[in-house]
Amino acid sequence: MSELQNVLKKMKLKGDKESTIDFLKTVARLLPPSDDYGISLTKKGVHEYVLDRRGVVIISLSLEEYLPIFSADSKRIEYNEIPEDVIKVIKTNWKQILGQLRDYLLEYSKIDKKYLEVADQVNSVIFENI
């Protein structure tokens, strides 16, 4: 967990894109081993940026023109393709990102108890950096 602590401090101190990407990569590695979990980074118009175990995906929602239903498209992007305005939001919302991670780890700990300890460690990182 010291790696998460270190990348968070580096991101808060430097605030550049590279340190933010390092933070995201570290968070992605801590996600439970399931495709059911994705951390919402931010919403920008009809696009939502989501972090999962394989990286960043943009999910676009649209309302069908003549039907009362939504359709969704997704596009996987490289970390360096994340727009600067999204990077700024990530730097500001690090507590919410780590909070989502902690909640997913707690949920997954019902299946595998070792994730309860990881969730506690993430929670400690949050409180040490408030």
Side-chain angles (χ1 to χ4, degrees):
M1 206 48 55
S2 64
E3 181 183 3
L4 178 61
Q5 179 79 341
N6 291 338
V7 296
L8 178 59
K9 284 183 180 181
K10 182 179 172 186
M11 181 184 72
K12 289 171 62 178
L13 183 64
K14 289 181 78 177
D16 62 350
K17 188 171 186 171
E18 181 182 327
S19 61
T20 304
I21 289 171
D22 289 343
F23 170 74
L24 291 176
K25 287 179 178 179
T26 303
V27 170
R29 283 193 297 273
L30 293 171
L31 280 166
S34 171
D35 290 333
D36 294 336
Y37 300 103
I39 295 175
S40 177
L41 301 174
T42 189
K43 290 183 181 178
K44 185 176 166 184
V46 297
H47 307 294
E48 182 173 4
Y49 290 78
V50 176
L51 177 69
D52 64 16
R53 294 180 314 131
R54 295 181 289 148
V56 178
V57 64
I58 302 172
I59 299 172
S60 303
L61 292 176
S62 61
L63 182 61
E64 295 297 326
E65 189 172 347
Y66 297 107
L67 300 172
I69 58 171
F70 283 98
S71 64
D73 294 313
S74 63
K75 176 185 174 192
R76 190 156 296 278
I77 62 170
E78 297 296 324
Y79 287 102
N80 62 354
E81 296 177 304
I82 300 172
E84 284 296 328
D85 57 335
V86 174
I87 291 288
K88 287 180 184 177
V89 171
I90 292 167
K91 289 186 287 193
T92 305
N93 291 343
W94 64 267
K95 284 181 272 195
Q96 289 85 354
I97 292 168
L98 292 182
Q100 288 179 69
L101 173 63
R102 178 202 54 221
D103 293 346
Y104 289 146
L105 292 167
L106 286 172
E107 184 178 322
Y108 197 78
S109 71
K110 295 172 186 172
I111 298 169
D112 188 344
K113 296 293 182 202
K114 73 179 182 183
Y115 285 91
L116 186 59
E117 181 180 334
V118 179
D120 287 340
Q121 292 172 352
V122 169
N123 206 38
S124 294
V125 170
I126 294 169
F127 284 118
E128 288 174 17
N129 287 281
I130 292 181

